[in-house]
Amino acid sequence: MSLLEEHIHETFGRIIIKEEKGESKTILIDKTFILKVLAFLSPSLLLLLWEIFARLGFIDVRLFSSPVMIFKTMLPMFYSGELLYHTFISAQRILLGFLTGAVPGVILGLSMGLFPPVRASLMPMVAATFPIPKLAIMPLILIIFGLGEASKIFTIAIGVFYLVLINTMAGVLNIDDIYLDVAKNFGATPFQFYSTVAFPGALPMIFAGFKLGMGTALLLIVAAELSAAKAGVGWMVWRAYDMFDIEKMFVALITMAFLGYIFSYLLDMIERMVIPWVNNRR
Amino acid sequence: MYPTEAILLEKLTKVFYARQKKVIALEDIHLSVKEGEFLCIVGPSGCGKTTLLRILAGLEKQTRGKVIMRSKNPEKPLTSMVFQGDSIFPWMTVVENVAYSLRIRGFSREKRREVAGQYLRLMGLDGFANAFPHQLSGGMKQRINVARAFVSDPEILLMDEPFGALDEQNRLILQQELLKIWEGSGKTSLFITHSIDEALILGDRIMVMTAHPGKVKAIVPINIPRPRDILSLRSSPNFGALFKEIWQLLQEEVLKAKSTEMNK
Ligand SMILES: Nc1ncnc2c1ncn2[C@@H]1O[C@H](COP(=O)(O)OP(=O)(O)OP(=O)(O)O)[C@@H](O)[C@H]1O
Ligand SMILES: [Mg+2]
């Protein structure tokens, strides 16, 4: 090891020097570690700046609050169970709405992908109704399902349904014909077409649909809890708006971010379990 | 030597209509394949070899003509096809792929593992039963492709260039393995290939097809005794003469296919 390299090694503990039979030497810096540090450092820095600017009066705390003030509001809400209660209510609505939309989405998507007559007869309706913003249907849903839980779950379900349906159908249509031929040559029944080719073949796309659907579900929960709700994180946001309670609003937003993170983490985990044959490089 | 015909084709014709254009893929094919025979099919690219096998596999319907396939044992599937190109399911493990036909026919999981296990051993895939295809090499994937068709134990095996995408070494190994398995089973087999060598090594007869539209140009019997061995086969006195005969037949068609392509 040359003097210079020794020096580098001592100053930065994370530099790895690989020696190859004394001839060529490759220096590999542990990149993942640096990336992890950066990922932690940059948001921390932002929070710090926010706090400093708030204290110095550069930003209006009445509108933008400050990290410490938000934290001070959050703690008692957390300990009293209030925050958990609202989170639970919203999580439940999201989950129920998600399932109510995703299950028929997958089944219908598989059928439309697999059977041209089904596709031909349903596609016009899907194509015509898909572009309608889901928020625009909400008043109608409220009239039909009333002000209770059903209308909130249904609002979410309808948003999830379309995304899952369209992704599932595309997933089936993208399956190479050769796999369908194999199944046919071996004499698969229609149900076996579903279970051994269409469903597993479309699974990666189905999960892509699930993830998009989850994003929409988080969006729609805020709208769904705007009207006629008495609890939930979305409701917290609107409530804070009425009260002009900026801190509470930030607490609700943070909770929502947390909720979104948990749900997408769960989906990723399930995906890795269910689709072990896909090379996951992330 | 072969008591009955397993396959009989009469005036078999297949026409495709693709975007207003009429493509005659097969025209008036007459062919009889005896039970237990190994027939190799060679012909220029696009002459309808795959189409012929797809019709026999029930994946395509002929436009005209008659297809007769004799089934001795209704318990068994009539045909199994080894497809041209990568056709093993990426979402199933090796053993699930190999045992696919048994799953379709409702065999128990134990029975499936047992039968598939035999073939995995036979093909040297022992340690890979629970691997997924993306973890395997091209040669291994083709082994699975062939094993999957054998496991279904059909009356007629249809193989569409199963070793086409392989390198020379893998090809030789798989040819030897196929010879071994096939000579043990005595199944009626149709085998498409671009390699005259391969056709001579494996076939009882070789059918040479004409370029577009595909017709039967000639059927050449291969009088090389079985069981065959890839190494001694090449030094057999017939081999060179047969190679020359087939190549002359094929050469005309390949050149013809080239010139029509250029005139387009
Ligand atoms: N589904 C289809 N629709 C329209 N034309 C087709 C279809 N399938 C095959 N053909 C045409 O039929 C002809 C024969 O095709 P086929 O795949 O049987 O050839 P092949 O002999 O197997 O060729 P290769 O050796 O390249 O595999 C070709 O001209 C092809 O373009
Ligand atoms: Mg072909």
Side-chain angles (χ1 to χ4, degrees), chain A residues 181 185-186 192 196 200 277 279, chain B residues 54 57 81 90-91 100 104 134:
Chain A
D181 283 343
N185 182 232
F186 283 122
Q192 285 169 330
T196 66
W277 63 87
N279 262 329
Chain B
R54 287 177 62 87
M81 184 145 166
W91 50 84
Y100 184 65
I104 294 295
H134 74 85

Side-chain angles (χ1 to χ4, degrees), chain B residues 92-129:
Chain B
M92 292 182 194
T93 60
V94 169
V95 65
E96 285 169 349
N97 261 293
V98 171
Y100 184 65
S101 63
L102 304 178
R103 177 168 169 193
I104 294 295
R105 276 147 72 197
F107 283 86
S108 72
R109 188 175 283 267
E110 291 77 48
K111 179 79 188 160
R112 267 147 46 191
R113 286 219 154 234
E114 185 195 318
V115 177
Q118 279 172 349
Y119 279 88
L120 289 180
R121 231 163 295 132
L122 217 53
M123 295 224 125
L125 288 164
D126 254 356
F128 297 94

Side-chain angles (χ1 to χ4, degrees), chain A residues 113-114 172 175-186 188 193 197-198, chain B residues 59 83 89 91:
Chain A
L114 219 44
V172 176
I175 295 174
D176 203 325
D177 277 346
I178 204 163
Y179 300 125
L180 299 171
D181 283 343
V182 172
K184 197 173 167 196
N185 182 232
F186 283 122
F193 263 98
V197 182
Chain B
L59 299 171
F83 289 82
F89 300 118
W91 50 84

Side-chain angles (χ1 to χ4, degrees), chain A:
Chain A
M1 226 187 262
S2 76
L3 227 97
L4 177 68
E5 277 163 358
E6 239 167 17
H7 175 71
I8 293 174
H9 195 73
E10 269 169 24
T11 356
F12 304 97
R14 304 300 297 196
I15 290 183
I16 296 160
I17 298 174
K18 271 193 181 174
E19 209 163 350
E20 287 174 2
K21 285 177 191 158
E23 286 177 14
S24 65
K25 286 171 195 157
T26 339
I27 300 179
L28 286 177
I29 297 170
D30 193 341
K31 273 192 192 146
T32 48
F33 176 76
I34 292 180
L35 291 179
K36 270 183 194 160
V37 170
L38 273 179
F40 175 77
L41 224 55
S42 95
S44 311
L45 191 69
L46 193 72
L47 284 178
L48 193 68
L49 283 177
W50 182 3
E51 184 65 36
I52 290 171
F53 286 165
R55 298 225 169 166
L56 293 177
F58 289 168
I59 52 179
D60 190 344
V61 287
R62 285 170 307 174
L63 295 179
F64 296 103
S65 191
S66 86
V68 171
M69 285 161 77
I70 295 168
F71 189 68
K72 274 184 181 159
T73 318
M74 196 166 187
L75 269 190
M77 284 175 78
F78 183 76
Y79 284 121
S80 69
E82 184 189 349
L83 196 55
L84 238 53
Y85 169 72
H86 289 297
T87 311
F88 177 76
I89 294 280
S90 290
Q92 196 178 5
R93 284 172 183 153
I94 291 172
L95 211 62
L96 284 175
F98 184 81
L99 289 177
T100 316
V103 172
V106 168
I107 294 172
L108 222 58
L110 286 176
S111 311
M112 286 174 71
L114 219 44
F115 305 113
V118 180
R119 184 161 68 246
S121 45
L122 295 184
M123 201 55 210
M125 285 176 271
V126 173
T129 51
F130 177 53
I132 301 174
K134 305 302 165 281
L135 291 179
I137 318 176
M138 260 199 67
L140 187 66
I141 292 174
L142 282 174
I143 292 171
I144 297 171
F145 290 93
L147 302 177
E149 282 304 283
S151 63
K152 291 168 194 70
I153 290 167
F154 200 78
T155 304
I156 294 168
I158 219 163
V160 174
F161 170 76
Y162 279 99
L163 291 169
V164 172
L165 170 78
I166 284 170
N167 271 276
T168 305
M169 184 178 72
V172 176
L173 290 176
N174 273 327
I175 295 174
D176 203 325
D177 277 346
I178 204 163
Y179 300 125
L180 299 171
D181 283 343
V182 172
K184 197 173 167 196
N185 182 232
F186 283 122
T189 61
F191 176 74
Q192 285 169 330
F193 263 98
Y194 267 111
S195 61
T196 66
V197 182
F199 184 64
L203 260 182
M205 281 292 277
I206 291 175
F207 265 90
F210 283 172
K211 286 175 187 175
L212 289 172
M214 189 49 83
T216 306
L218 288 165
L219 189 82
L220 290 172
I221 189 76
V222 184
E225 288 177 349
L226 165 61
S227 50
K230 287 177 202 70
V233 226
W235 171 85
M236 272 172 72
V237 175
W238 295 113
R239 177 78 181 165
Y241 170 76
D242 288 338
M243 304 267 125
F244 202 75
D245 189 343
I246 296 296
E247 278 75 35
K248 238 183 184 158
M249 199 182 282
F250 271 107
V251 170
L253 292 179
I254 291 166
T255 312
M256 246 175 225
F258 178 72
L259 212 54
Y261 178 78
I262 293 289
F263 275 123
S264 79
Y265 180 82
L266 282 178
L267 270 178
D268 277 344
M269 209 172 69
I270 296 171
E271 184 182 23
R272 269 198 296 278
M273 262 165 22
V274 176
I275 320 182
W277 63 87
V278 173
N279 262 329
N280 246 331
R281 260 188 296 267
R282 269 167 303 150

Side-chain angles (χ1 to χ4, degrees), chain B residues 19-184:
Chain B
R19 297 204 194 89
Q20 322 286 2
K21 248 186 74 188
K22 191 171 151 185
V23 179
I24 304 172
L26 296 169
E27 191 170 63
D28 288 337
I29 302 273
H30 281 272
L31 177 69
S32 80
V33 182
K34 306 205 181 71
E35 203 188 304
E37 184 178 1
F38 198 115
L39 179 82
C40 288
I41 302 171
V42 295
S45 190
C47 74
K49 304 181 293 295
T50 297
T51 307
L52 179 63
L53 251 57
R54 287 177 62 87
I55 292 173
L56 293 176
L59 299 171
E60 211 94 63
K61 255 191 88 131
Q62 71 268 35
T63 315
R64 266 199 313 280
K66 214 191 247 177
V67 178
I68 300 168
M69 286 190 277
R70 202 182 303 276
S71 169
K72 277 200 317 183
N73 186 350
E75 299 274 289
K76 287 186 181 180
L78 188 56
T79 68
S80 286
M81 184 145 166
V82 178
F83 289 82
Q84 184 175 12
D86 203 354
S87 73
I88 60 172
F89 300 118
W91 50 84
M92 292 182 194
T93 60
V94 169
V95 65
E96 285 169 349
N97 261 293
V98 171
Y100 184 65
S101 63
L102 304 178
R103 177 168 169 193
I104 294 295
R105 276 147 72 197
F107 283 86
S108 72
R109 188 175 283 267
E110 291 77 48
K111 179 79 188 160
R112 267 147 46 191
R113 286 219 154 234
E114 185 195 318
V115 177
Q118 279 172 349
Y119 279 88
L120 289 180
R121 231 163 295 132
L122 217 53
M123 295 224 125
L125 288 164
D126 254 356
F128 297 94
N130 295 315
F132 281 102
H134 74 85
Q135 299 166 307
L136 304 181
S137 71
M140 287 163 147
K141 285 189 203 170
Q142 273 324 83
R143 282 194 175 90
I144 297 167
N145 206 344
V146 173
R148 182 172 64 185
F150 266 96
V151 164
S152 82
D153 195 19
E155 302 210 37
I156 299 166
L157 255 179
L158 307 167
M159 292 174 269
D160 192 353
E161 294 191 45
F163 311 143
L166 296 182
D167 59 87
E168 184 73 19
Q169 292 130 34
N170 263 310
R171 194 177 248 266
L172 282 174
I173 291 168
L174 280 176
Q175 284 166 357
Q176 188 75 69
E177 281 170 1
L178 180 63
L179 265 181
K180 196 173 68 194
I181 300 179
W182 180 80
E183 283 173 350

